[in-house]
Amino acid sequence: MKAHIVTLPGDGVGTEVTAAAVAVLEAVAEHYGHQFDCEEHAIGGCAIDACGEPLPGASLAACRKADAVLLGAVGGPKWSDPNAPVRPEQGLLALRAALGVYANLRPLRVHPALAALSPLKSERLKGVDVLFVRELTGGAYFGAKTRTADAATDECKYTVAEIERVVRRAFELARGRRRQLTSVDKANVLETSRLWRNTVQRLAADYPDVKVEHQLVDSMAMLLLTHPARYDVVVTENLFGDILTDEAAALAGSLGLLPSASLGDGHRGPSAKLRTGLYEPIHGSAPDIAGQGVANPVGAILSAALLLRHSLGLEAEALAIEAAVARVLEYGPRSRDIGGQAGTDAVRDAVLVALADHVNTSRAFFSGVRACG
Ligand code: NAD
Ligand code: IPM
Ligand code: MN
């Protein structure tokens, strides 16, 4: 297969982890006979420095034409002055809105070999497998903002259509999993949350095979720590999803481990299941470790696996990356955030070796099956 991928490394460790993920994509292309051409563009603080805007027109135009977009992270202290006229994060939000990627999938699994790194007791982490579906293009992130000398507002607005499309996506995803959907809101206080809850209740009739529950976000933050294995698919609005998924990353052992896929409605290729998507680890530019070559590339590499799965339909290739990462998490080398000493490049190289082994073992297995048959 031929695919055109735009990469947006961005700022800080974004550049370091994206380089590792691209190396893994190139290895996948080599092993499986695909042709992925990667075209790099600017976003975030580096784009502000280069041309004064966080999402240059050329970057957006390239993303619109791409089969998929792989992003690192944006932001950093250099651009964090609260009085700055323009911010790196605006580029990311504008990109998500422009691509219409309203459903942000953030899978959480806890690798047993890392359970001891979590602040929780290991027995609580057994069987944790949660898929967060975060609404990504609405809510307080995108509402009107006002500011005077002594007051500020951020409007939080949701339409029924915005809620319905992301909740339907979550129901459909639950059907492919354990058929449980937890909708998280703050319906005891917020009008947007009451509209959210009403909408989920109405849609539930269309998915009688999925068990639905509603949970208030404050107690959900607690339950995620006390009973994480209880949850299957969790759907929630933009800001709640942002916060809960960083919390969830602590269960996995590090913020550097979690990938994400942001999907819209636009279909691509011959299958209606494939969507143009934006793929990024959930972490930020990690200014405290940027430039040291020690960032964990696993979240970015697993985001590349999600790209292969959701935008290119390459399930076997996605599984191969996930298997390679699982092996490296188990046997090392590990980066500092998960208790090791290895740098970004050493982890990348170990994933490349594990990937090559996985491909060779699968080939040997299938040629054996053919020989027997
Ligand atoms: P952060 O995610 O950058 O870092 C939080 C902590 O996690 C830090 O201690 C960092 O060292 C650690 N960490 C993050 N990624 C890691 C990795 N791959 N390997 C090892 N450790 C890792 O969050 P922050 O410090 O609150 O934000 C820094 C900047 O990043 C801000 O400007 C913020 O707006 C931006 N940000 C961008 C994105 C994005 O582009 N998608 C996401 C979150 C934050
Ligand atoms: C994330 C980040 C972004 C968000 C910021 C950088 C705009 O925290 O992707 O989780 O809040 O969505
Ligand atoms: Mn975040």
Side-chain angles (χ1 to χ4, degrees), residues 106 242 246 282:
R106 295 187 162 191
D242 180 44
D246 268 30
I282 81 160

Side-chain angles (χ1 to χ4, degrees), residues 272-318:
K273 280 195 168 159
L274 299 183
R275 296 183 166 93
T276 306
L278 170 63
Y279 299 86
E280 44 177 321
I282 81 160
H283 64 76
S285 59
D288 53 338
I289 57 165
Q292 299 175 27
V294 297
N296 190 340
V298 163
I301 292 171
L302 292 176
S303 299
L306 294 180
L307 181 158
L308 296 177
R309 172 172 295 128
H310 294 290
S311 283
L312 305 187
L314 299 176
E315 181 64 22
E317 288 83 339

Side-chain angles (χ1 to χ4, degrees), residues 13 17 71-76 80 89 92 96 254-256 280-289 294-296 337:
V13 300
V17 299
L71 186 140
V74 298
S80 292
E89 292 80 359
L92 178 56
R96 290 170 177 172
S254 168
L255 192 50
E280 44 177 321
I282 81 160
H283 64 76
S285 59
D288 53 338
I289 57 165
V294 297
N296 190 340
D337 55 312

Side-chain angles (χ1 to χ4, degrees), residues 45-354:
C46 63
I48 295 176
D49 289 351
C51 62
E53 30 179 351
L55 181 61
S59 300
L60 178 58
C63 292
R64 286 192 198 279
K65 278 194 257 157
D67 294 312
V69 181
L70 183 68
L71 186 140
V74 298
K78 182 176 177 193
W79 309 280
S80 292
D81 177 354
N83 297 317
V86 59
R87 304 178 61 83
E89 292 80 359
Q90 290 167 339
L92 178 56
L93 299 183
L95 178 65
R96 290 170 177 172
L99 296 180
V101 288
Y102 58 81
N104 180 226
L105 279 48
R106 295 187 162 191
L108 166 73
R109 286 203 190 100
V110 181
H111 193 291
L114 300 186
L117 291 172
S118 164
L120 292 195
K121 292 194 183 82
S122 300
E123 63 261 26
R124 296 226 165 141
L125 295 169
K126 273 199 197 103
V128 170
D129 180 3
V130 186
L131 177 61
F132 290 89
V133 182
R134 169 190 175 195
E135 201 291 324
L136 201 63
T137 54
Y141 277 69
F142 291 91
K145 296 178 188 305
T146 68
R147 176 76 184 263
T148 62
D150 52 10
T153 65
D154 294 280
E155 182 191 38
C156 179
K157 180 179 171 191
Y158 269 109
T159 65
V160 170
E162 284 172 327
I163 301 168
E164 189 163 334
R165 62 188 181 175
V166 71
V167 170
R168 280 200 187 279
R169 183 67 60 80
F171 268 113
E172 282 154 19
L173 288 161
R175 277 190 164 158
R177 295 172 46 103
R178 303 194 303 279
R179 295 178 185 262
Q180 286 178 50
L181 181 68
T182 305
S183 172
V184 176
D185 62 36
K186 185 75 186 168
N188 53 346
V189 175
L190 300 177
E191 204 53 53
T192 42
S193 278
R194 287 190 275 273
L195 183 68
W196 182 283
R197 195 175 281 215
N198 284 150
T199 306
V200 175
Q201 284 166 336
R202 176 171 55 76
L203 294 180
D206 293 346
Y207 304 88
D209 50 322
V210 178
K211 190 170 162 276
V212 185
E213 63 170 355
H214 303 272
Q215 193 67 51
L216 296 172
V217 65
D218 45 357
S219 52
M220 184 67 193
M222 179 272 298
L223 288 164
L224 208 47
L225 299 182
T226 54
H227 297 88
R230 195 188 272 178
Y231 299 98
D232 179 16
V233 178
V234 174
V235 66
T236 190
E237 63 116 284
N238 204 342
L239 184 57
F240 299 161
D242 180 44
I243 297 166
L244 289 179
T245 50
D246 268 30
E247 182 191 356
L251 304 181
S254 168
L255 192 50
L257 293 168
L258 263 64
S260 84
S262 304
L263 306 173
D265 281 329
H267 295 157
R268 62 166 300 280
S271 161
K273 280 195 168 159
L274 299 183
R275 296 183 166 93
T276 306
L278 170 63
Y279 299 86
E280 44 177 321
I282 81 160
H283 64 76
S285 59
D288 53 338
I289 57 165
Q292 299 175 27
V294 297
N296 190 340
V298 163
I301 292 171
L302 292 176
S303 299
L306 294 180
L307 181 158
L308 296 177
R309 172 172 295 128
H310 294 290
S311 283
L312 305 187
L314 299 176
E315 181 64 22
E317 288 83 339
L319 287 170
I321 294 179
E322 288 163 353
V325 165
R327 200 179 94 178
V328 173
L329 291 179
E330 179 149 13
Y331 299 107
R334 291 187 189 155
S335 50
R336 277 191 343 207
D337 55 312
I338 50 174
Q341 301 288 326
T344 310
D345 291 355
V347 177
R348 172 205 63 198
D349 290 346
V351 172
L352 293 175
V353 169

